[in-house]
Amino acid sequence: MSVSGKPGKRRSSTRSMVFVVGVAVLLLVGAYMVPMQTSLGQGVTDHVVIGWRGAYRPASHRTTFELLYNNGTYANITLGTENPADFSQHVSATEWVTPTDSVQSIRWAEQANPSELSYLLGTSNNAPRPFHPFAESPVAYSAALLRVLQKNDVNPKEFGGPNIVPGSVPIASLPSGELQIDTTAGGNKLAQCQPGQTPAALVRLMSVKKSS
């Protein structure tokens, strides 16, 4: 019985499949190399920071730093073995906290995990970049937080965050009452803000204030 031609067809089919898989891999690598031009107008939601605090849970003896958002949620960083006496506000029997915006608590976070704190403050990994093509959670600071920073003479740059000199933000000019940390100066596209860098949105606001 003749089976002439069948082995050749199988080899051709195999080569075609290898070619298709190779093209798919190249397209996938290419997609990771080219950042997406994501903007807030494309359904990306800001994490608007309104404050922070340290938290202690007596039952587990676990201490955390909590960065508070305006929607009632928060992000946290696990701290070390801080003194329970420093958590002076007993919210309940199961949760003790520091005063909101305590400098001591954010210093704990910087000592425990400086890179994670920098990220949460808006200066790492939020904007698209090669091998990280999609946006994560863009960060903004509320006007209320900016007033607290000014009152307490605190610059987030001290903790790996953006350079926001106390009193430098023309709060009355903030669109929607928030300062965008990782967006471009003239629009809502995301742009990486490096640790210690003045946010582009603030640079633009300051230049407008000077020219007016």
Side-chain angles (χ1 to χ4, degrees), residues 46-118:
D46 268 322
H47 274 173
V48 182
V49 182
I50 60 172
W52 66 78
R53 65 184 184 181
Y56 170 69
R57 289 164 179 79
S60 62
H61 300 291
R62 183 169 181 256
T63 58
T64 57
F65 168 82
E66 298 177 349
L67 196 70
L68 311 172
Y69 301 124
N70 69 339
N71 62 359
T73 64
Y74 62 86
N76 61 40
I77 292 174
T78 299
L79 301 177
T81 53
E82 313 302 339
N83 187 344
D86 290 325
F87 301 83
S88 57
Q89 299 179 357
H90 296 188
V91 178
S92 68
T94 59
E95 184 179 36
W96 303 357
V97 299
T98 65
T100 304
D101 306 321
S102 157
V103 174
Q104 182 182 40
S105 62
I106 198 171
R107 289 200 189 284
W108 290 337
E110 181 188 27
Q111 292 166 4
N113 197 330
S115 61
E116 180 67 10
L117 179 61
S118 179

Side-chain angles (χ1 to χ4, degrees), residues 32-49:
Y32 272 86
M33 287 292 292
V34 181
M36 301 294 291
Q37 289 299 307
T38 312
S39 74
L40 300 179
Q42 293 176 307
V44 178
T45 304
D46 268 322
H47 274 173
V48 182
V49 182

Side-chain angles (χ1 to χ4, degrees), residues 1 3 11 49 54 72 76 93 103 116 157 168 181 184 190 211:
M1 182 175 66
V3 292
R11 284 195 296 271
V49 182
N76 61 40
V103 174
E116 180 67 10
K157 179 181 178 181
S168 65
I181 301 303
T184 55
L190 305 190
S211 62

Side-chain angles (χ1 to χ4, degrees), residues 181-204:
I181 301 303
D182 42 17
T183 63
T184 55
N188 64 2
K189 284 190 172 59
L190 305 190
Q192 185 67 56
C193 179
Q194 300 300 324
Q197 178 183 352
T198 301
L202 177 54
V203 173
R204 182 169 181 267

